[in-house]
Amino acid sequence: MKISKSIYWFFLPGLVLYSLFFLYPTFSALFYSFTDWDGLSTAFQFVGIDNYTRAFTGDSIFQKTIGNNLKFMLTVVVFQTLVALAFALIVIKNTKTNVFLRALYFFPTILSSVSVAFIWAFIYDPSMGILNQVLQLVGLDFLAQNWLGNANIAIYSLAITQIWFHAGQMLIIFVAGLQAIPEELYEVAKIEGASKWQAFRSVTWPLLAPSATIVVAYTTIQSFKAFDLVFAMTGGGPNNSTEIIATYIYDVAFKSYQFGYASSISVIFMVIIALITYLQFKALRSDRVSY
Amino acid sequence: MKNKLWLATGTIGLGFVLGACAGESGSDSSSDSGDATQISFMHWRGEDKAVLDDIIADFEEANPDIRVEQNIYPSDQYQATAQRMLQEGSTGDVFTSFPGAQFESIESAGFFEDLSGEEFVSNFDESLISVGQKDGTQFALPYQLVFNMPVYNKGMFDELGLEVPKSWTEFQEMADTLLENDITPIAFPGADIGPNQFMNSMMMNNAPDEEVFAKLQNGEESLTNEWWVKTLEDFKLLADKGYIQDDALGTNQDSAMAMVANEEAAMLATGSYHMNSLLSLNPDLELDLLAPITVEESEATYEGINTATFMLAVNSNSEKKDQAKAFIDYLSQPEVASKYANETGQHLTVNDVEYESEALQNTSYWIDERNTRFQPRFLITNAQIEDAVLSSIENVLGGEDPMAAAEAAQQIVEENRE
């Protein structure tokens, strides 16, 4: 089939937008990461790899943010994936109830993140919050916590909010993946005498791998970029225990006016996300589905 | 024909995209509207919008050739984005600045117009506007005078026969009496502004040297020295003895205000700017200000904390500087300032302001009868060092040993020293 050359013009708007809003900022960040630019003045100096050296050897808060981000990411990826998968298995059939439940589970996703942050900050409030009050009401006082004020658990409290916020989105991806699995395979498994668990392990899970890969990769990226939720709920506190890389970049750039250094952290951040996503794709091997 | 149609559609589409981009970048919030020149007044006081709207309406009536548009951003966002908008020049012909780090960075970026020779400068109390100066040049004029120290329920104190404590020993005795009466002495909003507000009065007499944070930043002082370790120990004592509420680090300012308004707590560890909000929650409250004296009476240098803030300035990148100055001149007139003060419940730095509300009258003695100190936190000009200082308080309230918290914070100070 011959394609007219004029069709290439249609790439232009997308290419212009992509270059303007992605390529240009990305290369600018890379460029400024080797400078001491303060973000305001026109003058700056090249400082070589000083910013990178500082990030890895002379900035204990940045190192702490990497740890916080990993805790947050692992909690969110594991539990959000499991919750979404479990709920997807429950609502897989297209009954009226299930369609309603899917919409219900998806509902938090359409809320703005700042609204979600305010709702959950209120839920977590140690004195007036509904969570501690319910726990006390059902006799589980010992579980009542200072959810966002305790430096040891605040990051996990944020992770729970993130899971509530985005699990519905992942559920939809899983439902689509589950519905694409041919029914015959389950019939064969049944004839072969496979239990439900064996059918899940040998049929569902391998064929769901492409969906799982998307879910895990997307959840990972999402959890690294959970800036708005963290910013609105804790601002990185207490004692930097919920400071993640994204909020730290903001602090360094816009509160300390060290754009050069913030750019170097952004570049490191980008490399970390790319590396983790690559490793996940390799581990989940989504392209090797076998029957 | 079909290809040409596609090409035409694609070109029109691209035109729309580029047109939209051009329209966005060309928008200007401080443009000429009709015959009048429109200026932008950029600030962070959303709660003052209504009264400022009234004042602006009067100003526009008196100056029919000038229109003023308010551009209001939440204070967090304001601290982060104001400089960018000032750089561009179309927003913030008149703008406000916080003292301290923001003033320093705007000054070093050259966005302040020199106001030194302007007549309206003399409308302000000379002793309260030095924070808007740099090397003898008046770049900004603080408008509000805030007392960043606990607000207390004076009626409750009178009822319990409590005097305002003059020493740390008396403060603890006062707090014990409140506890005996099932009242939490201090409502501390540790989840948001508590640490950055309460640290000022907690340290003011532990480190009476006003240069202490400048010295910290240049390496002459350390957070592991006695002045800061004692401050952290005092915070620990407040937490350990139950003088601040349980789970204070999870309490935000709204919850803390509710505790004081409901008379579950006697003091709110924020500042005078919350008095109006407290009175709107409970009009029966009788309020005043009380800073903890953390040393013995004979050793006390300061009685409280003040901050001259909401600093009015003219953007050096503005093309409407004369109109911007006319607006500041108007705001500095005693009758206009009085209207602003009384309707927002704020003390001001403008001369001859008449305070009408009871709360303002009751506390105006703090302006000239008490020895208050400029908010020390605003003298930390490095935001990461400020974070380290505040984190050490959170760390102690979270259970850490004061010296260990001070050492951890000092490490961050050393990493970020310029």
Side-chain angles (χ1 to χ4, degrees), chain B residues 258-279:
Chain B
M259 288 175 71
V260 177
N262 297 336
E263 307 203 58
E264 293 164 27
M267 288 180 269
L268 176 65
T270 57
S272 58
Y273 49 88
H274 271 152
M275 290 170 85
N276 239 21
S277 309
L278 284 173
L279 289 171

PDB file of all heavy atoms in Angstrom, chain B residues 258-279:
ATOM      1  N   ALA B 258      -9.744  24.431  66.940  1.00  0.00           N
ATOM      2  CA  ALA B 258     -11.000  23.909  67.501  1.00  0.00           C
ATOM      3  C   ALA B 258     -10.833  23.585  68.986  1.00  0.00           C
ATOM      4  O   ALA B 258     -11.735  23.833  69.792  1.00  0.00           O
ATOM      5  CB  ALA B 258     -11.445  22.674  66.720  1.00  0.00           C
ATOM      6  N   MET B 259      -9.653  23.044  69.345  1.00  0.00           N
ATOM      7  CA  MET B 259      -9.401  22.715  70.759  1.00  0.00           C
ATOM      8  C   MET B 259      -9.481  23.968  71.637  1.00  0.00           C
ATOM      9  O   MET B 259     -10.037  23.937  72.736  1.00  0.00           O
ATOM     10  CB  MET B 259      -8.007  22.087  70.925  1.00  0.00           C
ATOM     11  CG  MET B 259      -7.895  20.673  70.387  1.00  0.00           C
ATOM     12  SD  MET B 259      -6.189  20.077  70.490  1.00  0.00           S
ATOM     13  CE  MET B 259      -6.009  19.875  72.259  1.00  0.00           C
ATOM     14  N   VAL B 260      -8.910  25.069  71.148  1.00  0.00           N
ATOM     15  CA  VAL B 260      -8.919  26.315  71.944  1.00  0.00           C
ATOM     16  C   VAL B 260     -10.319  26.937  71.926  1.00  0.00           C
ATOM     17  O   VAL B 260     -10.820  27.392  72.952  1.00  0.00           O
ATOM     18  CB  VAL B 260      -7.853  27.304  71.415  1.00  0.00           C
ATOM     19  CG1 VAL B 260      -7.906  28.620  72.178  1.00  0.00           C
ATOM     20  CG2 VAL B 260      -6.463  26.687  71.547  1.00  0.00           C
ATOM     21  N   ALA B 261     -10.949  26.924  70.755  1.00  0.00           N
ATOM     22  CA  ALA B 261     -12.293  27.511  70.658  1.00  0.00           C
ATOM     23  C   ALA B 261     -13.281  26.759  71.553  1.00  0.00           C
ATOM     24  O   ALA B 261     -14.172  27.361  72.145  1.00  0.00           O
ATOM     25  CB  ALA B 261     -12.758  27.487  69.207  1.00  0.00           C
ATOM     26  N   ASN B 262     -13.098  25.435  71.670  1.00  0.00           N
ATOM     27  CA  ASN B 262     -13.987  24.629  72.525  1.00  0.00           C
ATOM     28  C   ASN B 262     -13.557  24.638  73.987  1.00  0.00           C
ATOM     29  O   ASN B 262     -14.121  23.918  74.806  1.00  0.00           O
ATOM     30  CB  ASN B 262     -14.023  23.173  72.040  1.00  0.00           C
ATOM     31  CG  ASN B 262     -14.587  23.062  70.645  1.00  0.00           C
ATOM     32  OD1 ASN B 262     -15.332  23.928  70.224  1.00  0.00           O
ATOM     33  ND2 ASN B 262     -14.206  22.005  69.920  1.00  0.00           N
ATOM     34  N   GLU B 263     -12.502  25.372  74.275  1.00  0.00           N
ATOM     35  CA  GLU B 263     -11.941  25.491  75.620  1.00  0.00           C
ATOM     36  C   GLU B 263     -11.443  24.160  76.172  1.00  0.00           C
ATOM     37  O   GLU B 263     -11.403  23.947  77.383  1.00  0.00           O
ATOM     38  CB  GLU B 263     -12.939  26.175  76.576  1.00  0.00           C
ATOM     39  CG  GLU B 263     -13.431  27.513  76.019  1.00  0.00           C
ATOM     40  CD  GLU B 263     -13.948  28.480  77.064  1.00  0.00           C
ATOM     41  OE1 GLU B 263     -13.178  28.810  77.968  1.00  0.00           O
ATOM     42  OE2 GLU B 263     -15.121  28.900  76.954  1.00  0.00           O
ATOM     43  N   GLU B 264     -11.038  23.274  75.260  1.00  0.00           N
ATOM     44  CA  GLU B 264     -10.353  22.044  75.693  1.00  0.00           C
ATOM     45  C   GLU B 264      -8.880  22.350  75.944  1.00  0.00           C
ATOM     46  O   GLU B 264      -8.188  21.618  76.648  1.00  0.00           O
ATOM     47  CB  GLU B 264     -10.432  20.968  74.603  1.00  0.00           C
ATOM     48  CG  GLU B 264     -11.823  20.441  74.338  1.00  0.00           C
ATOM     49  CD  GLU B 264     -11.886  19.695  73.014  1.00  0.00           C
ATOM     50  OE1 GLU B 264     -10.857  19.152  72.573  1.00  0.00           O
ATOM     51  OE2 GLU B 264     -12.975  19.670  72.409  1.00  0.00           O
ATOM     52  N   ALA B 265      -8.390  23.401  75.276  1.00  0.00           N
ATOM     53  CA  ALA B 265      -6.995  23.817  75.456  1.00  0.00           C
ATOM     54  C   ALA B 265      -6.970  25.301  75.791  1.00  0.00           C
ATOM     55  O   ALA B 265      -7.860  26.054  75.393  1.00  0.00           O
ATOM     56  CB  ALA B 265      -6.188  23.543  74.194  1.00  0.00           C
ATOM     57  N   ALA B 266      -5.912  25.706  76.523  1.00  0.00           N
ATOM     58  CA  ALA B 266      -5.849  27.105  76.978  1.00  0.00           C
ATOM     59  C   ALA B 266      -5.066  27.999  76.032  1.00  0.00           C
ATOM     60  O   ALA B 266      -5.303  29.193  75.988  1.00  0.00           O
ATOM     61  CB  ALA B 266      -5.219  27.141  78.367  1.00  0.00           C
ATOM     62  N   MET B 267      -4.101  27.423  75.303  1.00  0.00           N
ATOM     63  CA  MET B 267      -3.248  28.243  74.439  1.00  0.00           C
ATOM     64  C   MET B 267      -3.160  27.624  73.044  1.00  0.00           C
ATOM     65  O   MET B 267      -3.181  26.405  72.907  1.00  0.00           O
ATOM     66  CB  MET B 267      -1.827  28.303  75.026  1.00  0.00           C
ATOM     67  CG  MET B 267      -1.709  29.149  76.258  1.00  0.00           C
ATOM     68  SD  MET B 267      -0.012  29.149  76.882  1.00  0.00           S
ATOM     69  CE  MET B 267      -0.069  27.799  78.013  1.00  0.00           C
ATOM     70  N   LEU B 268      -3.038  28.495  72.068  1.00  0.00           N
ATOM     71  CA  LEU B 268      -2.843  28.031  70.691  1.00  0.00           C
ATOM     72  C   LEU B 268      -1.448  28.471  70.264  1.00  0.00           C
ATOM     73  O   LEU B 268      -1.143  29.671  70.221  1.00  0.00           O
ATOM     74  CB  LEU B 268      -3.897  28.662  69.768  1.00  0.00           C
ATOM     75  CG  LEU B 268      -3.771  28.352  68.286  1.00  0.00           C
ATOM     76  CD1 LEU B 268      -3.999  26.876  68.006  1.00  0.00           C
ATOM     77  CD2 LEU B 268      -4.758  29.190  67.472  1.00  0.00           C
ATOM     78  N   ALA B 269      -0.606  27.476  69.937  1.00  0.00           N
ATOM     79  CA  ALA B 269       0.808  27.773  69.670  1.00  0.00           C
ATOM     80  C   ALA B 269       1.019  28.250  68.230  1.00  0.00           C
ATOM     81  O   ALA B 269       1.778  27.642  67.470  1.00  0.00           O
ATOM     82  CB  ALA B 269       1.653  26.544  69.971  1.00  0.00           C
ATOM     83  N   THR B 270       0.342  29.338  67.873  1.00  0.00           N
ATOM     84  CA  THR B 270       0.561  29.892  66.523  1.00  0.00           C
ATOM     85  C   THR B 270       0.884  31.383  66.647  1.00  0.00           C
ATOM     86  O   THR B 270       2.028  31.727  66.888  1.00  0.00           O
ATOM     87  CB  THR B 270      -0.647  29.654  65.604  1.00  0.00           C
ATOM     88  OG1 THR B 270      -1.823  30.218  66.197  1.00  0.00           O
ATOM     89  CG2 THR B 270      -0.874  28.172  65.360  1.00  0.00           C
ATOM     90  N   GLY B 271      -0.133  32.249  66.509  1.00  0.00           N
ATOM     91  CA  GLY B 271       0.167  33.676  66.614  1.00  0.00           C
ATOM     92  C   GLY B 271      -1.074  34.543  66.593  1.00  0.00           C
ATOM     93  O   GLY B 271      -2.201  34.050  66.463  1.00  0.00           O
ATOM     94  N   SER B 272      -0.841  35.857  66.691  1.00  0.00           N
ATOM     95  CA  SER B 272      -1.946  36.810  66.796  1.00  0.00           C
ATOM     96  C   SER B 272      -2.877  36.762  65.586  1.00  0.00           C
ATOM     97  O   SER B 272      -4.053  37.102  65.690  1.00  0.00           O
ATOM     98  CB  SER B 272      -1.391  38.224  66.952  1.00  0.00           C
ATOM     99  OG  SER B 272      -0.557  38.533  65.854  1.00  0.00           O
ATOM    100  N   TYR B 273      -2.365  36.337  64.433  1.00  0.00           N
ATOM    101  CA  TYR B 273      -3.175  36.284  63.218  1.00  0.00           C
ATOM    102  C   TYR B 273      -4.324  35.269  63.321  1.00  0.00           C
ATOM    103  O   TYR B 273      -5.202  35.245  62.472  1.00  0.00           O
ATOM    104  CB  TYR B 273      -2.283  35.933  62.005  1.00  0.00           C
ATOM    105  CG  TYR B 273      -1.388  34.738  62.251  1.00  0.00           C
ATOM    106  CD1 TYR B 273      -1.811  33.458  61.991  1.00  0.00           C
ATOM    107  CD2 TYR B 273      -0.115  34.917  62.794  1.00  0.00           C
ATOM    108  CE1 TYR B 273      -1.007  32.373  62.251  1.00  0.00           C
ATOM    109  CE2 TYR B 273       0.705  33.839  63.051  1.00  0.00           C
ATOM    110  CZ  TYR B 273       0.259  32.564  62.772  1.00  0.00           C
ATOM    111  OH  TYR B 273       1.063  31.493  63.039  1.00  0.00           O
ATOM    112  N   HIS B 274      -4.317  34.421  64.354  1.00  0.00           N
ATOM    113  CA  HIS B 274      -5.410  33.460  64.513  1.00  0.00           C
ATOM    114  C   HIS B 274      -6.482  33.947  65.488  1.00  0.00           C
ATOM    115  O   HIS B 274      -7.469  33.254  65.712  1.00  0.00           O
ATOM    116  CB  HIS B 274      -4.870  32.096  64.974  1.00  0.00           C
ATOM    117  CG  HIS B 274      -4.500  31.208  63.838  1.00  0.00           C
ATOM    118  ND1 HIS B 274      -3.526  30.235  63.925  1.00  0.00           N
ATOM    119  CD2 HIS B 274      -4.971  31.139  62.573  1.00  0.00           C
ATOM    120  CE1 HIS B 274      -3.423  29.627  62.762  1.00  0.00           C
ATOM    121  NE2 HIS B 274      -4.280  30.153  61.926  1.00  0.00           N
ATOM    122  N   MET B 275      -6.279  35.128  66.063  1.00  0.00           N
ATOM    123  CA  MET B 275      -7.242  35.603  67.063  1.00  0.00           C
ATOM    124  C   MET B 275      -8.621  35.825  66.442  1.00  0.00           C
ATOM    125  O   MET B 275      -9.643  35.452  67.021  1.00  0.00           O
ATOM    126  CB  MET B 275      -6.727  36.881  67.729  1.00  0.00           C
ATOM    127  CG  MET B 275      -5.534  36.601  68.636  1.00  0.00           C
ATOM    128  SD  MET B 275      -4.721  38.085  69.214  1.00  0.00           S
ATOM    129  CE  MET B 275      -5.701  38.476  70.620  1.00  0.00           C
ATOM    130  N   ASN B 276      -8.631  36.416  65.264  1.00  0.00           N
ATOM    131  CA  ASN B 276      -9.917  36.654  64.595  1.00  0.00           C
ATOM    132  C   ASN B 276     -10.651  35.345  64.312  1.00  0.00           C
ATOM    133  O   ASN B 276     -11.864  35.232  64.517  1.00  0.00           O
ATOM    134  CB  ASN B 276      -9.670  37.395  63.276  1.00  0.00           C
ATOM    135  CG  ASN B 276     -10.401  38.703  63.249  1.00  0.00           C
ATOM    136  OD1 ASN B 276     -10.760  39.242  64.296  1.00  0.00           O
ATOM    137  ND2 ASN B 276     -10.642  39.226  62.056  1.00  0.00           N
ATOM    138  N   SER B 277      -9.908  34.347  63.825  1.00  0.00           N
ATOM    139  CA  SER B 277     -10.522  33.043  63.511  1.00  0.00           C
ATOM    140  C   SER B 277     -11.059  32.396  64.780  1.00  0.00           C
ATOM    141  O   SER B 277     -12.146  31.799  64.768  1.00  0.00           O
ATOM    142  CB  SER B 277      -9.505  32.111  62.869  1.00  0.00           C
ATOM    143  OG  SER B 277      -8.882  32.754  61.799  1.00  0.00           O
ATOM    144  N   LEU B 278     -10.297  32.506  65.867  1.00  0.00           N
ATOM    145  CA  LEU B 278     -10.766  31.914  67.130  1.00  0.00           C
ATOM    146  C   LEU B 278     -12.045  32.599  67.605  1.00  0.00           C
ATOM    147  O   LEU B 278     -12.974  31.935  68.059  1.00  0.00           O
ATOM    148  CB  LEU B 278      -9.681  32.044  68.212  1.00  0.00           C
ATOM    149  CG  LEU B 278      -8.497  31.079  68.110  1.00  0.00           C
ATOM    150  CD1 LEU B 278      -7.428  31.449  69.136  1.00  0.00           C
ATOM    151  CD2 LEU B 278      -8.946  29.640  68.346  1.00  0.00           C
ATOM    152  N   LEU B 279     -12.073  33.909  67.462  1.00  0.00           N
ATOM    153  CA  LEU B 279     -13.272  34.643  67.896  1.00  0.00           C
ATOM    154  C   LEU B 279     -14.466  34.334  67.010  1.00  0.00           C
ATOM    155  O   LEU B 279     -15.608  34.333  67.472  1.00  0.00           O
ATOM    156  CB  LEU B 279     -12.996  36.151  67.918  1.00  0.00           C
ATOM    157  CG  LEU B 279     -12.062  36.607  69.047  1.00  0.00           C
ATOM    158  CD1 LEU B 279     -11.659  38.057  68.870  1.00  0.00           C
ATOM    159  CD2 LEU B 279     -12.716  36.400  70.416  1.00  0.00           C
TER     160      LEU B 279
END
